mmCIF file of all heavy atoms in Angstrom:
data_model
loop_
_atom_site.group_PDB
_atom_site.id
_atom_site.type_symbol
_atom_site.label_atom_id
_atom_site.label_comp_id
_atom_site.label_asym_id
_atom_site.label_seq_id
_atom_site.Cartn_x
_atom_site.Cartn_y
_atom_site.Cartn_z
ATOM 1 N N LYS A 65 -74.650 -66.243 -99.914
ATOM 2 C CA LYS A 65 -74.115 -64.891 -100.120
ATOM 3 C C LYS A 65 -74.034 -64.167 -98.777
ATOM 4 O O LYS A 65 -75.047 -63.967 -98.125
ATOM 5 C CB LYS A 65 -75.055 -64.090 -101.014
ATOM 6 C CG LYS A 65 -75.072 -64.489 -102.447
ATOM 7 C CD LYS A 65 -76.016 -63.546 -103.194
ATOM 8 C CE LYS A 65 -76.114 -63.895 -104.648
ATOM 9 N NZ LYS A 65 -77.042 -63.018 -105.348
ATOM 10 N N HIS A 66 -72.864 -63.809 -98.361
ATOM 11 C CA HIS A 66 -72.666 -62.983 -97.176
ATOM 12 C C HIS A 66 -73.312 -63.559 -95.915
ATOM 13 O O HIS A 66 -73.620 -62.811 -94.988
ATOM 14 C CB HIS A 66 -73.181 -61.553 -97.410
ATOM 15 C CG HIS A 66 -72.785 -60.981 -98.726
ATOM 16 N ND1 HIS A 66 -71.473 -60.686 -99.054
ATOM 17 C CD2 HIS A 66 -73.507 -60.675 -99.829
ATOM 18 C CE1 HIS A 66 -71.424 -60.216 -100.279
ATOM 19 N NE2 HIS A 66 -72.637 -60.190 -100.776
ATOM 20 N N ARG A 67 -73.581 -64.859 -95.868
ATOM 21 C CA ARG A 67 -74.216 -65.472 -94.694
ATOM 22 C C ARG A 67 -73.405 -66.687 -94.267
ATOM 23 O O ARG A 67 -73.544 -67.756 -94.837
ATOM 24 C CB ARG A 67 -75.650 -65.918 -95.008
ATOM 25 C CG ARG A 67 -76.656 -64.847 -95.345
ATOM 26 C CD ARG A 67 -76.931 -63.892 -94.199
ATOM 27 N NE ARG A 67 -77.385 -64.499 -92.988
ATOM 28 C CZ ARG A 67 -78.645 -64.499 -92.578
ATOM 29 N NH1 ARG A 67 -79.584 -63.948 -93.295
ATOM 30 N NH2 ARG A 67 -78.955 -65.055 -91.425
ATOM 31 N N GLU A 68 -72.569 -66.511 -93.267
ATOM 32 C CA GLU A 68 -71.786 -67.634 -92.765
ATOM 33 C C GLU A 68 -72.507 -68.362 -91.648
ATOM 34 O O GLU A 68 -71.996 -69.347 -91.122
ATOM 35 C CB GLU A 68 -70.420 -67.133 -92.289
ATOM 36 C CG GLU A 68 -69.582 -66.584 -93.432
ATOM 37 C CD GLU A 68 -68.217 -66.119 -92.981
ATOM 38 O OE1 GLU A 68 -67.824 -66.407 -91.838
ATOM 39 O OE2 GLU A 68 -67.543 -65.468 -93.792
ATOM 40 N N ASP A 69 -73.695 -67.879 -91.282
ATOM 41 C CA ASP A 69 -74.431 -68.473 -90.166
ATOM 42 C C ASP A 69 -75.460 -69.508 -90.601
ATOM 43 O O ASP A 69 -76.121 -70.111 -89.767
ATOM 44 C CB ASP A 69 -75.117 -67.374 -89.347
ATOM 45 C CG ASP A 69 -76.097 -66.540 -90.168
ATOM 46 O OD1 ASP A 69 -75.864 -66.359 -91.386
ATOM 47 O OD2 ASP A 69 -77.096 -66.052 -89.592
ATOM 48 N N LEU A 70 -75.604 -69.754 -91.910
ATOM 49 C CA LEU A 70 -76.641 -70.665 -92.390
ATOM 50 C C LEU A 70 -76.052 -71.969 -92.938
ATOM 51 O O LEU A 70 -75.081 -71.962 -93.679
ATOM 52 C CB LEU A 70 -77.468 -70.009 -93.495
ATOM 53 C CG LEU A 70 -78.319 -68.822 -93.084
ATOM 54 C CD1 LEU A 70 -79.002 -68.215 -94.298
ATOM 55 C CD2 LEU A 70 -79.339 -69.217 -92.033
ATOM 56 N N GLY A 71 -76.675 -73.063 -92.556
ATOM 57 C CA GLY A 71 -76.314 -74.372 -93.063
ATOM 58 C C GLY A 71 -77.522 -75.008 -93.737
ATOM 59 O O GLY A 71 -78.559 -74.366 -93.926
ATOM 60 N N LEU A 72 -77.385 -76.282 -94.082
ATOM 61 C CA LEU A 72 -78.430 -77.000 -94.809
ATOM 62 C C LEU A 72 -78.784 -78.298 -94.103
ATOM 63 O O LEU A 72 -77.897 -79.033 -93.661
ATOM 64 C CB LEU A 72 -77.938 -77.362 -96.215
ATOM 65 C CG LEU A 72 -77.309 -76.270 -97.068
ATOM 66 C CD1 LEU A 72 -76.640 -76.880 -98.277
ATOM 67 C CD2 LEU A 72 -78.357 -75.268 -97.475
ATOM 68 N N SER A 73 -80.060 -78.587 -94.026
ATOM 69 C CA SER A 73 -80.535 -79.909 -93.632
ATOM 70 C C SER A 73 -81.196 -80.475 -94.883
ATOM 71 O O SER A 73 -82.156 -79.893 -95.402
ATOM 72 C CB SER A 73 -81.545 -79.819 -92.482
ATOM 73 O OG SER A 73 -82.051 -81.109 -92.177
ATOM 74 N N ILE A 74 -80.647 -81.574 -95.395
ATOM 75 C CA ILE A 74 -81.082 -82.108 -96.686
ATOM 76 C C ILE A 74 -81.753 -83.463 -96.480
ATOM 77 O O ILE A 74 -81.146 -84.380 -95.930
ATOM 78 C CB ILE A 74 -79.879 -82.259 -97.632
ATOM 79 C CG1 ILE A 74 -79.191 -80.906 -97.795
ATOM 80 C CG2 ILE A 74 -80.317 -82.834 -98.976
ATOM 81 C CD1 ILE A 74 -77.828 -80.982 -98.424
ATOM 82 N N ALA A 75 -82.995 -83.562 -96.923
ATOM 83 C CA ALA A 75 -83.746 -84.808 -96.826
ATOM 84 C C ALA A 75 -84.051 -85.316 -98.230
ATOM 85 O O ALA A 75 -84.386 -84.529 -99.118
ATOM 86 C CB ALA A 75 -85.047 -84.586 -96.056
ATOM 87 N N LEU A 76 -83.921 -86.615 -98.426
ATOM 88 C CA LEU A 76 -84.265 -87.244 -99.694
ATOM 89 C C LEU A 76 -85.725 -87.667 -99.638
ATOM 90 O O LEU A 76 -86.158 -88.303 -98.672
ATOM 91 C CB LEU A 76 -83.377 -88.467 -99.943
ATOM 92 C CG LEU A 76 -83.675 -89.261 -101.210
ATOM 93 C CD1 LEU A 76 -83.340 -88.431 -102.453
ATOM 94 C CD2 LEU A 76 -82.885 -90.559 -101.231
#
Side-chain angles (χ1 to χ4, degrees):
K65 288 182 181 178
H66 315 293
R67 295 296 303 257
E68 295 181 11
D69 59 329
L70 294 176
L72 310 168
S73 176
I74 303 166
L76 177 67

